[in-house]
Amino acid sequence: EAEVAQSPRYKITEKSQAVAFWCDPISGHATLYWYRQILGQGPELLVQFQDESVVDDSQLPKDRFSAERLKGVDSTLKIQPAELGDSAMYLCASSLGETQYFGPGTRLLVL
Amino acid sequence: GENVEQHPSTLSVQEGDSAVIKCTYSDSASNYFPWYKQELGKRPQLIIDIRSNVGEKKDQRIAVTLNKTAKHFSLHITETQPEDSAVYFCAASLSSGYALNFGKGTSLLVTP
């Protein structure tokens, strides 16, 4: 069964450093989402792509976060500079219809 | 925007008992309501979903009910087993192609 892939699984960085996360959605899924999940809470949308276009980035802190999906397939989420409050799980999901399939996430710890 | 509230935040039941988790939503335009199970350190997995044109859906020991008038929906797990222990999230969205708005989760513990 096809799954969403993410890397790295874990990332430890110091504040003010740059970090990048990668997501490979299920083949053929046009819609890709990046969510942030703070410990003890539900995932919250950061950015949504339809193919290579951004559909919703209203909750993305654009002063430090950026996301791209250049060829409409895999995607990269970047944080520069990282802050202590960015420590969280970053989940990628993809969908063809209503059902969203999640990747295993990247757990980020900012020291 | 959509606001989803979920209760309780923690739930402990004995094996074989039933568990019920309740969610409310604020946007009457929402019409898709999935439930995800997330085990420790693992990805959220869809366990059941319901659309606004349906009042109830069942899949073996799991059922979901939806009351659109009251804007609330519930997850029912019968004959609970220790492997049901996990965090469960409810979510709501407008329809296909829209992001999910999640509740804060319910940590379910099933004790043998």
Side-chain angles (χ1 to χ4, degrees), chain A residues 30-47:
Chain A
T31 311
L32 184 148
Y33 310 82
W34 282 100
Y35 290 89
R36 178 168 60 184
Q37 185 177 24
I38 296 171
L39 195 63
Q41 297 188 20
E44 294 182 329
L45 181 73
L46 288 173
V47 61

Side-chain angles (χ1 to χ4, degrees), chain A residues 8 36 58 70 77 87 98 111:
Chain A
R36 178 168 60 184
S58 58
L70 292 175
L77 178 70
S87 295
E98 284 175 328
L111 303 176

Side-chain angles (χ1 to χ4, degrees), chain B:
Chain B
E2 175 67 275
N3 181 43
V4 178
E5 295 196 355
Q6 183 171 347
H7 300 279
S9 56
T10 61
L11 180 59
S12 182
V13 299
Q14 286 202 315
E15 183 176 2
D17 287 350
S18 295
V20 180
I21 302 170
K22 299 182 179 182
C23 289
T24 61
Y25 60 98
S26 61
D27 190 345
S28 57
S30 291
N31 61 15
Y32 175 61
F33 307 93
W35 286 87
Y36 284 83
K37 175 183 180 182
Q38 187 175 29
E39 297 177 65
L40 191 63
K42 295 191 176 181
R43 70 188 76 199
Q45 298 264 24
L46 178 73
I47 56 171
I48 196 167
D49 57 13
I50 192 167
R51 292 161 183 81
S52 60
N53 58 345
V54 176
E56 184 173 356
K57 183 177 178 181
K58 190 173 181 179
D59 182 4
Q60 298 183 342
R61 298 186 296 109
I62 295 173
V64 57
T65 59
L66 171 65
N67 183 326
K68 282 223 74 177
T69 303
K71 290 190 282 188
H72 67 70
F73 55 113
S74 301
L75 178 72
H76 305 251
I77 306 174
T78 59
E79 301 172 23
T80 54
Q81 301 167 2
E83 51 265 39
D84 293 330
S85 297
V87 179
Y88 291 80
F89 292 96
C90 63
S93 79
L94 294 178
S95 70
S96 174
Y98 286 86
L100 296 172
N101 295 282
F102 285 86
K104 290 190 175 183
T106 295
S107 179
L108 173 64
L109 177 64
V110 181
T111 54

Side-chain angles (χ1 to χ4, degrees), chain A residues 34-100:
Chain A
W34 282 100
Y35 290 89
R36 178 168 60 184
Q37 185 177 24
I38 296 171
L39 195 63
Q41 297 188 20
E44 294 182 329
L45 181 73
L46 288 173
V47 61
Q48 176 184 346
F49 290 91
Q50 181 69 27
D51 298 310
E52 66 275 10
S53 301
V54 173
V55 173
D56 184 355
D57 64 356
S58 58
Q59 300 303 310
L60 189 71
K62 298 181 189 64
D63 56 335
R64 298 185 300 107
F65 286 63
S66 64
E68 60 183 16
R69 194 183 183 198
L70 292 175
K71 297 182 179 179
V73 180
D74 59 338
S75 176
T76 302
L77 178 70
K78 297 179 181 178
I79 308 175
Q80 183 175 17
E83 295 181 351
L84 297 178
D86 296 332
S87 295
M89 173 77 86
Y90 291 81
L91 290 163
C92 177
S94 70
S95 70
L96 188 58
E98 284 175 328
T99 303
Q100 293 187 24

